[in-house]
Amino acid sequence: MVPATPPTTINCMSEQTIALVTGANKGIGYEIAAGLGMTVGVGARDVQRGEEAAAKLRANGVDAFAVPLDVTDDESVLAAAALFEERFGRLDVLVNNAAIAGAWPAAPSAATPGSLREVLETNVIGVVRVTNAMLPLLARSARPRIVNQSSHLASLTLQTTPEVEFGEVNGTYTPSKTFLNALTVQYAKELTNIKVNAACPGYVATDLNGFQGTSTPAEGAKIAIRLATLPDDGPTGGLFDDTGTVPW
């Protein structure tokens, strides 16, 4: 169970806690950056949009700076890691939020190898690429945290429960998040000194779903923020939403 209001969180560890949020120039990622209460790197593929988002956050009192970051590009990710190395020498929190939906709806029978690869490149391989590049920096943190942005759609239990309705079946985005859940567990098993969890933001209105969601990005950001600021006795290797543990 994720504590609703942790008595002692990662924010207490020092005067300056350093975070990176990928895909943070808009939507849930932006709201995560806004709500962390940390010095936060605003990861964005588009340099101008990243700068604009960071400026907006600073105007609202957030210690934010833009990080040009394309999670599908090795050089871009390595450059982002070098930026944190040069400025801070460490990273305390990594939120892997960047994702794409791909074609939607797209039944498995309509998916192509190319469409699947495209989604996996961002939603799964991109997470591995960024996480592994940032691990040396996270290793220097007193209380490192990794949060992977997942989805209720990724739950095999919920997907196979007859009374649970998720709409059209999907052969690319949904499996990519299930894959991400599996990776989250394996990272947590390996990185015993880092709390690694997956967050389910709920059905949030963003451009990922054509703004059809029922929750706001700020509401969807809450669980990732809680997992990013877990106390030392908080969970690791789990999948969570605002109500608690989500079944695998």
Side-chain angles (χ1 to χ4, degrees), residues 2 6-7 16 27-28 53 61 79 90 104-105 116 120 132 145 149 174 180 187 191 194 212-213 227 232 241 246-247:
V2 183
Q16 186 182 42
I28 300 173
R90 75 171 198 282
W104 194 288
L116 182 57
L120 291 177
N132 290 356
R145 307 286 186 263
Q149 196 75 289
T174 296
L180 180 60
Y187 270 121
L191 307 173
I194 302 177
Q212 298 178 37
L227 292 172
D232 291 344
D241 65 10
V246 177

Side-chain angles (χ1 to χ4, degrees), residues 26 36 70 80 133 179 193:
K26 60 183 178 179
L36 280 174
D70 180 349
F179 194 163
N193 61 323

Side-chain angles (χ1 to χ4, degrees), residues 155-169:
S155 168
L156 296 178
T157 299
L158 295 179
Q159 284 283 358
T160 54
T161 300
E163 60 270 24
V164 176
E165 177 56 52
F166 281 135
E168 298 288 341
V169 296

Side-chain angles (χ1 to χ4, degrees), residues 1-7 226 242:
M1 188 73 176
V2 183
T5 308
R226 284 164 59 190
D242 275 339

Side-chain angles (χ1 to χ4, degrees), residues 205-230:
T206 68
D207 60 0
L208 193 74
N209 57 30
F211 299 96
Q212 298 178 37
T214 56
S215 300
T216 67
E219 291 169 334
K222 289 179 181 179
I223 182 59
I225 293 169
R226 284 164 59 190
L227 292 172
T229 56
L230 284 174

Side-chain angles (χ1 to χ4, degrees), residues 115-180:
S115 66
L116 182 57
R117 287 192 191 101
E118 180 183 18
V119 172
L120 291 177
E121 185 65 44
T122 295
N123 297 4
V124 178
I125 299 171
V127 171
V128 174
R129 183 179 285 112
V130 173
T131 300
N132 290 356
M134 299 298 167
L135 281 179
L137 293 161
L138 288 162
R140 299 175 198 155
S141 172
R143 296 181 177 88
R145 307 286 186 263
I146 297 174
V147 181
N148 295 329
Q149 196 75 289
S150 185
S151 169
H152 291 95
L153 297 174
S155 168
L156 296 178
T157 299
L158 295 179
Q159 284 283 358
T160 54
T161 300
E163 60 270 24
V164 176
E165 177 56 52
F166 281 135
E168 298 288 341
V169 296
N170 184 276
T172 53
Y173 176 82
T174 296
S176 79
K177 290 300 185 178
T178 305
F179 194 163
L180 180 60

